[in-house]
Amino acid sequence: MNSTANTISTSELNACLPALHRFAYTLTRNEDRAADLVQDCVERCLRKQHLFDGENLRSWMFTVCRRVFLNQIRRDKVRGIAVDMDDAPQSKLSIGALQEEKMHYNDVVEGFAELPHNDKVVLSLVAIEGLKYEEAAELLEVPVGTVRSRLSRARSRLRDLLESNEEQGTASAATV
Amino acid sequence: MDNKVYLITEQDVHAYIDGELTSDRRRAVENFLAERDLPLERAARYLRNNFDLRAVKDEIYKDTVLKAEIDRLLAKRRQRISANA
C-alpha cells in the first residue's frame, strides 16, 4: 500500500454517490432524508478518510452510511421522537411524509400478520427481540441452519407482501 | 492482503443484517453488496424492515398466540441465563 492509498479523490467519491443515494433512500424511504443521510455520510467519510484502507471505497461508504443511519435512529429514540404508529422515526417530516410513514407501518403490520406462524416467531426473536441465531436455535430446539433458512424465507415473504402492497398502492394512486 | 475468496449467499446477507458475521466475512459481504445494486437494495430493505418491526412491536404482539409463545421462549431463556450464572 502506498502513501496516497488512504486519500479519497473527488471523482472516486462522485462515482459512488448514485449507489449510495439509492442505498440511503431504501433505508429512509424519503427523498429529503436520503439526501441528508448521503450528505452526513460523505462528510463523515471525508473527515475519517485516514481510516479508509484504500481498497473498496464504495463498500466502505456503505458501512459508514449504515452506521450514520443507525446513529440517527438511536439518537431519535433517545429523544423519544421515534417509534410508534403515530410517530415517524425522524423529526421535521412534512404531513405527506408522515402519512406515508404511517401507511408504511400499517403495511408492515398487515404483511407480518399474513406470515406463517413459524416465520413470525423467528422474526420476532431475531429482528424484534435481538436474539443471536444460536440463542434462537436453542430456544426453538432446532439447528442454527434451520433458524437461518426460516429467517431468510420469512424476510423474503414479508418483502413480497410489502412489494405487492406497494404495487397495489401505486396502481390505485394512478387510477385516481 | 487477504486473498481468501468467499461465496456469498442470501443467508450471509441476513447474517450481515443481524450482526452475526466475523469481521472477515462481514467485509466480504460488504464488498459483495458494494458491487451489486440488487442485493444491496435488498439488504437495505431487510435492514429497514428490522427497524420497522421493532417500531411496530406493540401492534405485532397484539397477536396473542404469538405473544404467548415469545413470552414463553424468553422466559425459558431467562431461566437458562440464571441457571448458568
Side-chain angles (χ1 to χ4, degrees):
Chain A
M1 198 182 283
N2 63 40
S3 61
T4 58
N6 292 352
T7 57
I8 300 171
S9 76
T10 322
S11 60
E12 281 174 317
L13 194 67
N14 283 338
C16 294
L17 288 184
L20 189 67
H21 186 268
R22 280 198 297 278
F23 185 61
Y25 184 78
T26 316
L27 288 175
T28 58
R29 286 193 320 273
N30 175 282
E31 208 41 71
D32 291 343
R33 275 194 266 153
D36 288 347
L37 182 56
V38 169
Q39 181 65 29
D40 287 356
C41 173
V42 168
E43 281 172 18
R44 197 177 165 84
C45 285
L46 291 174
R47 267 202 322 273
K48 303 270 176 183
Q49 57 180 298
H50 58 282
L51 297 174
F52 174 50
D53 65 5
E55 276 182 32
N56 188 335
L57 180 61
R58 214 172 138 175
S59 160
W60 185 62
M61 288 188 82
F62 290 134
T63 313
V64 172
C65 186
R66 184 170 143 261
R67 217 168 280 155
V68 171
F69 177 69
L70 289 175
N71 285 341
Q72 285 180 358
I73 293 264
R74 282 195 203 107
R75 192 187 55 210
D76 287 344
K77 226 175 175 175
V78 170
R79 286 185 190 157
I81 297 167
V83 270
D84 65 22
M85 295 290 282
D86 297 320
D87 275 321
Q90 264 116 3
S91 52
K92 291 188 273 182
L93 284 181
S94 69
I95 297 203
L98 273 171
Q99 279 170 344
E100 212 176 283
E101 191 82 16
K102 202 169 165 178
M103 269 166 61
H104 174 75
Y105 281 141
N106 284 334
D107 287 347
V108 173
V109 173
E110 280 171 20
F112 188 90
E114 287 183 41
L115 294 174
H117 184 70
N118 276 349
D119 288 5
K120 288 183 188 172
V121 171
V122 79
L123 269 177
S124 300
L125 289 178
V126 175
I128 299 179
E129 302 296 338
L131 263 60
K132 291 277 160 205
Y133 291 179
E134 282 282 350
E135 290 180 300
E138 264 182 49
L139 292 179
L140 295 170
E141 297 173 8
V142 297
V144 177
T146 306
V147 168
R148 288 179 194 279
S149 55
R150 278 187 195 171
L151 200 55
S152 168
R153 211 172 37 233
R155 283 202 177 115
S156 305
R157 280 194 184 123
L158 185 60
R159 190 190 68 219
D160 288 347
L161 288 163
L162 291 175
E163 274 174 9
S164 70
N165 255 339
E166 276 170 23
E167 277 162 23
Q168 277 171 15
T170 316
S172 57
T175 57
V176 172
Chain B
M1 201 184 128
D2 178 7
N3 286 324
K4 276 184 225 162
V5 175
Y6 293 96
L7 177 69
I8 307 297
T9 65
E10 175 91 12
Q11 290 184 4
D12 285 314
V13 175
H14 292 278
Y16 170 71
I17 303 298
D18 297 317
E20 290 275 336
L21 297 177
T22 60
S23 57
D24 266 10
R25 191 125 187 115
R26 194 178 62 232
R27 245 176 112 80
V29 172
E30 277 166 358
N31 286 335
F32 171 84
L33 292 175
E35 302 303 331
R36 290 162 185 84
D37 287 340
L38 190 64
L40 176 69
E41 205 215 310
R42 198 173 293 167
R45 270 179 185 251
Y46 290 152
L47 188 60
R48 178 73 219 192
N49 283 349
N50 268 9
F51 295 115
D52 290 339
L53 289 174
R54 269 171 242 155
V56 296
K57 176 178 170 174
D58 292 346
E59 291 294 313
I60 280 173
Y61 284 165
K62 282 183 183 165
D63 176 342
T64 48
V65 177
L66 175 69
K67 177 79 168 83
E69 178 147 8
I70 299 299
D71 283 348
R72 182 183 66 79
L73 292 167
L74 292 178
K76 193 164 139 190
R77 178 173 176 245
R78 280 193 295 274
Q79 274 172 9
R80 286 188 186 193
I81 292 171
S82 58
N84 290 335

